């Protein structure tokens, strides 16, 4: 069971993978700070467990992110981990993707991560501890059609973390990229989810893996730096 102290900040907590991670870690006894923009969903989550503290936060907004980190520290004293699940996808050929869609994908997949990292790092450096788990995608590692922009930003985010890992490993901060394959969440159009759900991961599978990675990454001697989690039947055709 659970934890000594501090809170685990889970971004993208209102849906899909983030929501499943909130359930799982709260069940394990971790103190969880769950953030997203959809406040009614956060309120529902907070009602489920005394271990869940919900805070609205648009992770693409610098002031909102800084304010959330401040409140978390004020309430819990230390930031035990950041589990970053914010993200958005547009699955389209590059030629049909608008600049507005590119900018939105950048904000959701790269800018939000950058801001959350800047918000938690000073406290983690002071503490000489902290785990950062980034929900990356197999699209960061492999080229899929209709995923050029999404895959490029996922790769950028994962690589930003690889470089940061080298900056902070001697400070006792553990950084993990979890590259996840197709998972049945609202990121996918309902028709695609209906068609392929039999061969997709479930959000609970990813949450269980996050929980195991958090346990491992908190050990002082080892670091599970990168893990690929694919459905048994492989990527969707
Ligand atoms: N599903 C897959 O097959 C799959 C595979 C590999 C990787 N991933 C990655 O896993 C992560 C979670 O995706 P998911 O599948 O769970 O999708 P999802 O169900 O659509 O969840 C996305 C989450 O991100 C939050 N979000 C989006 N923009 C935000 C913003 N500006 N500020 C704060 N929160 C924001 C959403 O909350 P609000 O809208 O309430 O803010 C929501 O909680 C993403 O990074 C995705 O790229 C997913």
């Amino acid at each position: 069971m659970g934890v000594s102290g501090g809170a685990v900040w889970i971004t993208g907590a209102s849906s899909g993978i983030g929501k499943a991670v909130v359930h799982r870690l709260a069940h394990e006894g971790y103190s969880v700070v769950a953030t997203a923009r959809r406040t009614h969903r956060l309120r529902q989550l907070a009602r489920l467990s005394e271990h869940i503290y919900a805070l609205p936060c648009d992770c693409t907004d610098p002031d909102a992110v800084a304010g959330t980190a401040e409140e978390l520290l004020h309430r819990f004293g230390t930031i035990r981990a950041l589990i970053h699940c914010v993200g958005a996808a547009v699955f389209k050929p590059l030629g049909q993707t608008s600049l507005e869609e590119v900018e939105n994908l950048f904000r959701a997949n790269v800018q939000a991560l950058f801001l959350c990292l800047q918000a938690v790092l000073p406290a983690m450096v002071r503490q000489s501890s902290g785990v950062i788990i980034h929900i990356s995608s197999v699209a960061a590692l492999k080229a899929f059609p209709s995923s050029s922009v999404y895959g490029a930003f996922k790769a950028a985010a994962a690589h930003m973390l690889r470089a940061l890992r080298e900056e902070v490993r001697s400070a006792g901060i553990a950084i993990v990229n979890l590259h996840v394959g197709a998972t049945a969440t609202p990121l996918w159009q309902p028709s695609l989810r209906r068609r392929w759900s039999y061969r997709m991961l479930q959000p609970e599978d990813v949450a269980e893996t996050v929980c195991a990675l958090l346990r491992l990454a908190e050990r002082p001697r080892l670091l599970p730096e990168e893990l690929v989690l694919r459905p048994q039947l492989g990527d969707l055709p």
Side-chain angles (χ1 to χ4, degrees):
M1 238 326 157
V3 187
S4 41
V8 178
W9 179 5
I10 302 171
T11 67
S14 59
S15 173
I17 293 170
K19 186 175 164 189
V21 174
V22 170
H23 280 282
R24 178 62 192 239
L25 293 190
H27 180 73
E28 297 285 328
Y30 290 88
S31 297
V32 166
V33 173
T35 65
R37 295 167 301 182
R38 282 171 288 180
T39 45
H40 61 288
R41 290 186 172 218
L42 292 177
R43 273 197 298 273
Q44 283 167 357
L45 264 182
R47 267 188 234 120
L48 296 176
S49 163
E50 57 178 2
H51 296 293
I52 302 172
Y53 182 65
L55 276 179
C57 177
D58 179 343
C59 289
T60 65
D61 175 345
D63 293 337
V65 172
T68 298
E70 242 173 64
E71 175 146 5
L72 189 158
L73 277 168
H74 176 71
R75 195 177 166 92
F76 295 94
T78 51
I79 303 180
R80 185 174 185 158
L82 168 70
I83 317 287
H84 188 73
C85 308
V86 167
V90 169
F91 299 120
K92 274 186 185 175
L94 186 138
Q96 294 169 23
T97 307
S98 68
L99 181 57
E100 193 187 352
E101 285 171 325
V102 172
E103 288 168 349
N104 285 338
L105 286 176
F106 174 81
R107 276 194 287 274
N109 293 299
V110 181
Q111 180 171 319
L113 173 64
F114 170 77
L115 292 174
C116 290
L117 292 172
Q118 284 211 326
V120 300
L121 279 169
M124 288 186 173
V125 168
R126 267 197 314 277
Q127 297 161 197
S128 302
S129 71
V131 175
I132 295 167
I133 300 178
H134 168 230
I135 306 301
S136 176
S137 168
V138 293
L141 308 175
K142 176 179 162 184
F144 293 92
S146 295
S147 293
S148 54
V149 179
Y150 175 69
F153 288 147
K154 285 296 180 199
H159 204 64
M160 183 161 68
L161 281 175
R162 289 187 194 108
L164 177 64
R165 185 187 292 135
E166 300 314 316
E167 293 174 13
V168 300
R169 67 165 74 238
S170 61
I173 300 167
I175 296 192
V176 181
N177 274 317
L178 174 57
H179 307 284
V180 177
T183 306
T185 73
L187 194 85
W188 295 88
Q189 280 172 11
S191 59
L192 286 174
R193 241 196 304 169
R194 271 195 302 278
R195 179 165 178 206
W196 295 115
S197 66
Y198 74 95
R199 55 177 295 170
M200 284 175 151
L201 297 165
Q202 294 302 313
E204 294 72 23
D205 301 327
V206 184
E208 188 176 348
T209 307
V210 167
C211 189
L213 284 172
L214 179 56
R215 283 220 176 88
L216 286 173
E218 284 196 316
R219 294 199 197 165
R221 208 171 51 231
L222 60 88
L223 178 54
E225 296 183 348
E226 310 267 327
L227 183 77
V228 180
L229 182 71
R230 272 202 166 85
Q232 172 65 26
L233 293 176
D235 296 322
L236 299 186

